[in-house]
Amino acid sequence: MDGNGRWAKQRGLPRIEGHRRGVETVRTVTYAARDLGVKMLTLYAFSAENWNRPKDEVGALMGLLELYLKKELDTFVRDRVRLMTIGRIDELPQGVQRHLEETVDKTREFSEYTLVLALNYGSRDEIVDATRAYAAAVAAGREAPDDVSWEAFAKYLYTSGMPDPDLVIRTSGESRMSNFLLLQAAYAEFYFSPVLWPDFSKADLAAAIADYARRERRYGLTSEQVKPVVAAK
Ligand code: FPP
């Protein structure tokens, strides 16, 4: 969700106005994705590196997040949206953690559509945390070190039980991964949109999905293997 700062700057507004508009886009895109048939949407809302931004901006973002969670709880329950999180949640402010816990708890039964918020998330932190948890499981005799496989290790990632992303979209014209789902996106398709996040619309999301639908995902195979030719009689 990149480009909030530039959106504000272009209008001579403080950066936080861009983030405020960004929250509106979060609402729009959450429902647009569901309407377009997406089953799980993950939003990179706050990276582990974002703590290094000016103190006022970090405080304002945490405030916006808390307000958003407070406002959305009833809507999520009404619309059967399941909320999940990935990231080092225990390092977020207490108020944010409380609202997250409550929303995750009250929506855990819903299975049609899931919104995942990546908060205080960084792929490298995730890999370190998973390795630590895996090592602890080995030490406790719950895992055998020789049996380590991708499937066994992936159970210790924050995304345990979630499908890998099919499509990763980055807005605002930047073409970087920025420490986002590095392992999980191994076979994802990427889409880079020039649109700044506050302006990103349902039509922009539909265009990204249409572009994705035209691609051939080969997973290391040849085109012929993926699309076997039907033998003519
Ligand atoms: C990137 O734009 C955006 C962020 C670092 C924060 C994203 C947060 C929100 C949209 C609001 C809070 C989230 C939720 C789920 C309520 P940038 O500031 O890096 O923009 P720039 O690159 O133009 O400066």
Side-chain angles (χ1 to χ4, degrees), residues 3-56:
N4 295 348
R6 275 162 287 165
W7 184 93
K9 197 171 175 198
Q10 285 170 3
R11 289 160 180 78
L13 298 168
R15 290 178 58 84
I16 187 62
E17 275 311 314
H19 294 314
R20 210 166 272 145
R21 263 300 288 261
V23 177
E24 289 312 310
T25 309
V26 165
R27 291 197 170 93
T28 308
V29 169
T30 297
Y31 286 98
R34 195 183 63 168
D35 292 349
L36 292 165
V38 172
K39 297 283 175 224
M40 181 173 274
L41 173 74
T42 301
L43 297 174
Y44 201 0
F46 193 84
S47 78
E49 290 76 24
N50 285 154
W51 294 113
N52 299 321
R53 290 194 172 201
K55 220 169 159 230
D56 286 359

Side-chain angles (χ1 to χ4, degrees), residues 76-162:
F76 285 165
V77 170
R78 183 194 69 199
D79 297 336
R80 301 180 63 79
V81 175
R82 180 176 185 182
L83 184 80
M84 296 179 89
T85 59
I86 52 173
R88 288 184 176 165
I89 302 304
D90 59 348
E91 292 173 0
L92 293 169
Q94 286 296 327
V96 171
Q97 285 192 49
R98 231 186 6 256
H99 287 293
L100 280 173
E101 249 169 57
E102 188 183 357
T103 313
V104 167
D105 200 50
K106 291 197 166 143
T107 62
R108 73 171 70 248
E109 312 270 275
F110 306 143
S111 56
E112 300 93 331
Y113 179 67
T114 304
L115 173 67
V116 183
L117 295 181
L119 294 166
N120 190 20
Y121 177 86
S123 250
R124 289 181 173 178
D125 284 347
E126 178 180 36
I127 295 164
V128 167
D129 288 351
T131 306
R132 208 177 271 151
Y134 190 86
V138 169
R142 284 182 277 110
E143 297 282 0
D146 291 343
D147 290 347
V148 67
S149 62
W150 167 247
E151 287 73 22
F153 180 72
K155 281 191 289 176
Y156 294 87
L157 295 170
Y158 306 143
T159 51
S160 173
M162 298 177 189

Side-chain angles (χ1 to χ4, degrees), residues 149-204:
S149 62
W150 167 247
E151 287 73 22
F153 180 72
K155 281 191 289 176
Y156 294 87
L157 295 170
Y158 306 143
T159 51
S160 173
M162 298 177 189
D164 285 342
D166 291 308
L167 172 64
V168 177
I169 301 171
R170 182 168 185 149
T171 59
S172 89
E174 308 287 356
S175 323
R176 288 187 291 276
M177 300 275 297
S178 296
N179 207 10
F180 185 58
L181 298 178
L182 297 181
L183 296 180
Q184 296 88 338
Y187 284 98
E189 296 292 326
F190 284 80
Y191 183 88
F192 298 102
S193 165
V195 178
L196 302 178
W197 177 252
D199 290 329
F200 197 76
S201 64
K202 183 174 183 177
D204 293 319

